[in-house]
Amino acid sequence: MLKKNTSLESSHFPVMLEEIIKICSPVSGGFYIDCTFGGGGYSKKLLKFPKTNVIALDRDKFILNFVKNLEKKYPKRFTFFQKKFSEVDKLIKNQKADAIIFDLGLSSIQLNNLERGFSFKSKESLDMSMGLSNMSAEKVINEFSEQKLKLIIKILGEEKEASRIVKNIIKARSVKKITKVNELVDIIEKSKKKNYKNKINPCTKTFQALRIFVNQEISELVKGIINATKILKPGGKILVISFHSIEDKVVKFFFSNFSSNRSKPSRYLPENLEDSNSLFENYKNKILTPTNREISENSASRSAKFRYAIRNKNKFIFPDELVVKFKKYLDLESSYA
Ligand SMILES: C[S@@+](CC[C@H](N)C(=O)[O-])C[C@H]1O[C@@H](n2cnc3c(N)ncnc32)[C@H](O)[C@@H]1O
């Protein structure tokens, strides 16, 4: 996540930059992959270390200006792909990475561009695509069945008041198509019980659900971290900053259940799983979070949770159990209407 007001590169505040660089500990000739380029904060810092090579990805074509600056400055050491990170393993041949970074979710560049429909303040169309997606929030809100809408908002948004919100969406859309963000905001605000203790915006969870669904974010995360693991060197690191509980659950499950010291084997794992089937070195289940200073300078960083794991020497074996464990989310994201 980036700080608000990101019209220029200089105003970027990439989340937990120092911690990310410390864990990467870039070496001369090292090869790093930044799966979520955004404003390019991590790529830029990694390239400052002598003779590093960086590949960056982002699904969003609107960040290409930031890319151009780095391409000009480091023509031989920096390469960008406008691709989804689920495809990260297909972008390199015969090379293995020293570190692969995921800084999940939305950038402030995307949030603050009101035309993209991510912000509650927008009066524009209900789009919410980060790029390379065939879906829009408008389609979900107007065309999906009551039951499917309820599942999306309840499961992906973890919204307890999903039923009431959806009933009111169905009522409103039977009179007139819901096309603008502010129309949806009105419906959600009228549907939610007033809770004066609750500091979060009443629309947060519904918007989170729609955004996750439109961009198939949980499927992207599951495929992304699996495919990244395939292309890590032994000793290479996979670093993930997540911003909500579903993302963190996925990352935690993967790192803890596929590390050589997993404490309690998951009930999804075969009982005779050999240690040679693990993918990561001992995992301590430690979460790093932003310092108070960073949170005071950039409130968007407050829910960041940073986890990393270190690839061991074992041959890559596909972690089917990760897919089984999160099947509920993956099925929901891949079914339409
Ligand atoms: C939180 S921002 C990253 C900010 C970045 N670390 C920086 O320093 O500026 C997340 C970025 O990841 C991109 N993104 C999200 N999901 C993606 C995916 N599945 N594939 C590729 N890019 C993705 C978004 O478009 C957004 O630009």
Side-chain angles (χ1 to χ4, degrees), residues 1-2 12 14-15 34-42 57-60 63 83-86 103-107 110 130 215 217 220 243:
M1 204 38 91
L2 292 171
H12 286 326
V15 165
D34 178 357
C35 283
T36 49
F37 181 82
Y42 302 156
L57 283 68
D58 203 296
R59 61 193 297 171
D60 192 354
I63 49 95
K83 291 272 183 206
K84 293 194 262 189
F85 56 56
S86 51
D103 175 17
L104 300 173
L106 204 60
S107 76
Q110 293 163 325
M130 293 190 205
N215 297 289
E217 289 180 38
E220 273 297 307
F243 289 88

Coordinates of all heavy atoms in Angstrom, one line a residue, residues 1-2 12 14-15 34-42 57-60 63 83-86 103-107 110 130 215 217 220 243, ligand 1:
M1 N 0.9 -1.2 0.0 CA 0.0 0.0 0.0 C 0.9 1.2 0.0 O 2.0 1.3 0.6 CB -0.8 -0.1 1.3 CG -2.0 0.5 1.5 SD -3.5 0.9 0.8 CE -4.5 -0.4 1.1
L2 N 0.4 2.3 -0.7 CA 1.2 3.5 -0.7 C 0.5 4.6 0.0 O -0.7 4.5 0.2 CB 1.3 4.0 -2.2 CG 2.2 3.1 -3.1 CD1 2.0 3.6 -4.5 CD2 3.6 3.2 -2.7
H12 N 5.9 9.0 -2.9 CA 5.6 7.6 -2.6 C 6.2 7.2 -1.2 O 7.3 7.5 -0.9 CB 6.2 6.6 -3.6 CG 5.4 6.6 -4.9 ND1 4.1 6.9 -4.9 CD2 5.9 6.5 -6.1 CE1 3.7 6.8 -6.1 NE2 4.8 6.6 -6.9
P14 N 6.4 3.7 0.1 CA 6.2 2.2 0.0 C 6.2 1.7 1.5 O 7.0 2.0 2.3 CB 7.4 1.7 -0.7 CG 8.1 2.8 -1.3 CD 7.7 4.0 -0.5
V15 N 5.2 0.8 1.7 CA 5.0 0.2 3.1 C 6.2 -0.6 3.5 O 6.7 -1.5 2.7 CB 3.7 -0.6 3.1 CG1 3.6 -1.4 4.3 CG2 2.5 0.4 3.1
D34 N 9.9 -8.1 -8.2 CA 8.9 -7.2 -7.5 C 7.6 -7.5 -8.2 O 7.3 -7.0 -9.3 CB 9.3 -5.8 -7.6 CG 8.4 -4.8 -7.0 OD1 7.3 -5.2 -6.4 OD2 8.7 -3.6 -7.0
C35 N 6.7 -8.3 -7.5 CA 5.5 -8.8 -8.2 C 4.4 -7.7 -8.2 O 3.4 -7.9 -8.9 CB 5.0 -10.0 -7.5 SG 5.9 -11.5 -7.9
T36 N 4.6 -6.7 -7.4 CA 3.5 -5.6 -7.3 C 4.2 -4.3 -7.4 O 4.3 -3.6 -6.4 CB 2.8 -5.8 -6.0 OG1 3.7 -5.9 -4.9 CG2 1.9 -7.0 -6.0
F37 N 4.6 -3.9 -8.6 CA 5.4 -2.7 -8.8 C 4.8 -1.4 -8.3 O 5.4 -0.6 -7.6 CB 5.7 -2.6 -10.3 CG 6.6 -1.4 -10.6 CD1 8.0 -1.5 -10.5 CD2 6.0 -0.2 -11.1 CE1 8.8 -0.4 -10.8 CE2 6.8 0.9 -11.4 CZ 8.2 0.8 -11.3
G38 N 3.5 -1.2 -8.5 CA 2.8 0.0 -8.1 C 3.5 1.3 -8.4 O 3.7 1.6 -9.6
G39 N 4.0 2.1 -7.4 CA 4.8 3.3 -7.7 C 6.3 2.9 -7.8 O 7.1 3.8 -7.9
G40 N 6.6 1.7 -7.6 CA 8.0 1.3 -7.9 C 9.0 1.4 -6.7 O 10.2 1.4 -6.9
G41 N 8.4 1.7 -5.5 CA 9.3 1.9 -4.3 C 10.3 0.9 -4.1 O 11.5 1.2 -3.9
Y42 N 9.9 -0.4 -4.1 CA 10.9 -1.5 -3.8 C 11.9 -1.7 -4.9 O 13.1 -1.8 -4.7 CB 10.1 -2.8 -3.5 CG 9.1 -2.8 -2.5 CD1 8.1 -3.8 -2.4 CD2 9.2 -1.9 -1.4 CE1 7.1 -3.8 -1.4 CE2 8.2 -1.9 -0.4 CZ 7.2 -2.9 -0.4 OH 6.2 -2.9 0.6
L57 N 6.5 -6.6 -12.0 CA 5.2 -6.9 -12.7 C 4.2 -6.0 -12.1 O 4.3 -5.7 -10.9 CB 4.8 -8.3 -12.3 CG 5.3 -9.6 -12.9 CD1 6.7 -9.8 -12.4 CD2 4.4 -10.7 -12.4
D58 N 3.2 -5.7 -12.8 CA 2.0 -5.1 -12.3 C 0.9 -5.3 -13.3 O 1.1 -5.2 -14.5 CB 2.1 -3.6 -12.0 CG 1.1 -3.1 -10.9 OD1 -0.1 -3.2 -11.2 OD2 1.5 -2.7 -9.9
R59 N -0.3 -5.6 -12.9 CA -1.4 -5.8 -13.8 C -2.0 -4.5 -14.4 O -2.7 -4.5 -15.3 CB -2.5 -6.6 -13.1 CG -3.2 -6.0 -11.9 CD -4.0 -7.0 -11.1 NE -5.1 -7.5 -11.9 CZ -5.9 -8.5 -11.6 NH1 -5.8 -9.1 -10.4 NH2 -6.9 -8.9 -12.3
D60 N -1.6 -3.4 -13.7 CA -2.2 -2.1 -14.0 C -1.4 -1.3 -15.1 O -0.2 -1.0 -14.8 CB -2.2 -1.3 -12.7 CG -3.1 -0.1 -12.8 OD1 -3.6 0.2 -13.9 OD2 -3.3 0.6 -11.8
I63 N 0.3 2.5 -14.4 CA 1.5 2.9 -13.6 C 2.7 2.9 -14.6 O 3.9 3.0 -14.1 CB 1.8 1.9 -12.4 CG1 1.7 0.4 -12.9 CG2 0.8 2.1 -11.3 CD1 3.0 -0.2 -13.2
K83 N 1.7 -7.8 -16.4 CA 1.1 -9.2 -16.3 C 0.6 -9.4 -14.9 O 1.0 -8.7 -13.9 CB 2.3 -10.2 -16.5 CG 2.8 -10.2 -17.9 CD 2.0 -11.2 -18.7 CE 2.6 -11.3 -20.1 NZ 1.6 -11.7 -21.1
K84 N -0.2 -10.4 -14.7 CA -0.7 -10.8 -13.4 C 0.4 -11.7 -12.7 O 1.1 -12.5 -13.4 CB -2.0 -11.6 -13.4 CG -3.1 -10.7 -13.9 CD -4.4 -11.4 -13.7 CE -4.9 -12.0 -15.0 NZ -6.3 -12.5 -14.9
F85 N 0.6 -11.5 -11.4 CA 1.7 -12.2 -10.8 C 1.4 -13.7 -10.7 O 2.4 -14.5 -10.4 CB 2.1 -11.6 -9.4 CG 1.0 -11.4 -8.4 CD1 0.3 -12.5 -7.9 CD2 0.9 -10.2 -7.8 CE1 -0.6 -12.3 -6.9 CE2 -0.1 -10.0 -6.7 CZ -0.8 -11.1 -6.3
S86 N 0.2 -14.2 -11.0 CA 0.0 -15.6 -11.0 C 0.9 -16.3 -12.1 O 1.1 -17.5 -12.1 CB -1.5 -16.0 -11.3 OG -1.9 -15.2 -12.4
D103 N 3.5 -7.1 -2.4 CA 2.9 -6.1 -1.5 C 1.5 -6.0 -2.0 O 1.2 -5.3 -3.0 CB 3.7 -4.8 -1.8 CG 3.1 -3.6 -1.0 OD1 2.4 -3.8 0.0 OD2 3.5 -2.4 -1.3
L104 N 0.6 -6.7 -1.3 CA -0.7 -7.0 -1.9 C -1.7 -5.8 -1.9 O -1.5 -4.8 -1.2 CB -1.3 -8.2 -1.1 CG -0.5 -9.5 -1.2 CD1 -1.1 -10.5 -0.3 CD2 -0.4 -10.0 -2.6
G105 N -2.7 -6.0 -2.7 CA -3.9 -5.0 -2.6 C -3.7 -3.9 -3.6 O -3.1 -4.0 -4.6
L106 N -4.3 -2.8 -3.1 CA -4.5 -1.6 -4.0 C -3.4 -0.6 -3.6 O -3.0 -0.4 -2.5 CB -5.8 -1.1 -3.5 CG -6.6 -0.2 -4.4 CD1 -7.0 -1.0 -5.7 CD2 -7.9 0.2 -3.7
S107 N -2.9 0.2 -4.6 CA -2.1 1.3 -4.3 C -2.9 2.6 -4.1 O -4.0 2.6 -4.6 CB -1.1 1.5 -5.5 OG -1.7 2.1 -6.6
Q110 N -4.1 4.0 -7.3 CA -5.4 3.5 -7.8 C -6.6 4.0 -6.9 O -7.6 4.5 -7.5 CB -5.4 1.9 -7.7 CG -4.4 1.4 -8.7 CD -4.0 -0.1 -8.4 OE1 -3.9 -0.5 -7.2 NE2 -3.8 -0.9 -9.4
M130 N -8.3 -3.6 -11.3 CA -6.9 -3.1 -11.2 C -6.2 -3.3 -12.6 O -5.1 -2.9 -12.7 CB -6.1 -4.0 -10.2 CG -6.5 -3.9 -8.8 SD -5.3 -4.7 -7.8 CE -6.2 -5.1 -6.4
N215 N -11.2 -8.7 -9.1 CA -9.8 -9.0 -9.5 C -9.3 -10.4 -9.2 O -8.1 -10.7 -9.3 CB -8.9 -7.9 -8.8 CG -9.2 -6.5 -9.3 OD1 -8.9 -6.2 -10.5 ND2 -9.8 -5.7 -8.5
E217 N -8.7 -11.8 -6.4 CA -7.4 -11.6 -5.7 C -6.9 -12.8 -4.9 O -5.7 -13.0 -4.7 CB -7.6 -10.4 -4.7 CG -7.6 -9.1 -5.5 CD -7.8 -7.9 -4.6 OE1 -7.2 -7.8 -3.5 OE2 -8.5 -6.9 -5.0
E220 N -5.4 -15.2 -7.3 CA -4.1 -14.7 -7.8 C -3.0 -14.9 -6.7 O -1.9 -15.3 -7.0 CB -4.3 -13.2 -8.0 CG -4.7 -12.8 -9.4 CD -3.7 -13.2 -10.4 OE1 -2.5 -12.8 -10.3 OE2 -4.1 -13.9 -11.4
F243 N -2.9 -7.2 3.7 CA -3.6 -6.1 4.4 C -5.0 -6.6 4.9 O -5.7 -5.8 5.5 CB -3.8 -5.0 3.4 CG -2.5 -4.2 3.1 CD1 -1.7 -4.6 2.1 CD2 -2.2 -3.2 3.9 CE1 -0.5 -4.0 1.9 CE2 -1.0 -2.5 3.7 CZ -0.1 -2.9 2.7
Ligands
LIG1 C1 0.1 -2.0 -2.8 S1 0.6 -1.6 -4.4 C2 2.3 -1.9 -4.5 C3 3.1 -0.6 -4.1 C4 4.6 -0.8 -4.4 N1 5.2 -1.8 -3.4 C5 5.4 0.5 -4.3 O1 6.4 0.5 -3.7 O2 5.0 1.4 -4.9 C6 0.0 -3.1 -5.2 C7 0.2 -3.1 -6.7 O3 0.0 -4.5 -7.1 C8 -0.7 -4.6 -8.2 N2 -1.4 -5.9 -8.2 C9 -2.3 -6.3 -7.4 N3 -2.7 -7.6 -7.7 C10 -1.8 -8.0 -8.7 C11 -1.7 -9.2 -9.5 N4 -2.4 -10.2 -9.2 N5 -0.8 -9.2 -10.5 C12 0.0 -8.1 -10.7 N6 -0.1 -6.9 -10.1 C13 -1.0 -6.9 -9.1 C14 -1.7 -3.4 -8.1 O4 -2.1 -3.1 -9.4 C15 -0.9 -2.3 -7.4 O5 -0.3 -1.5 -8.4

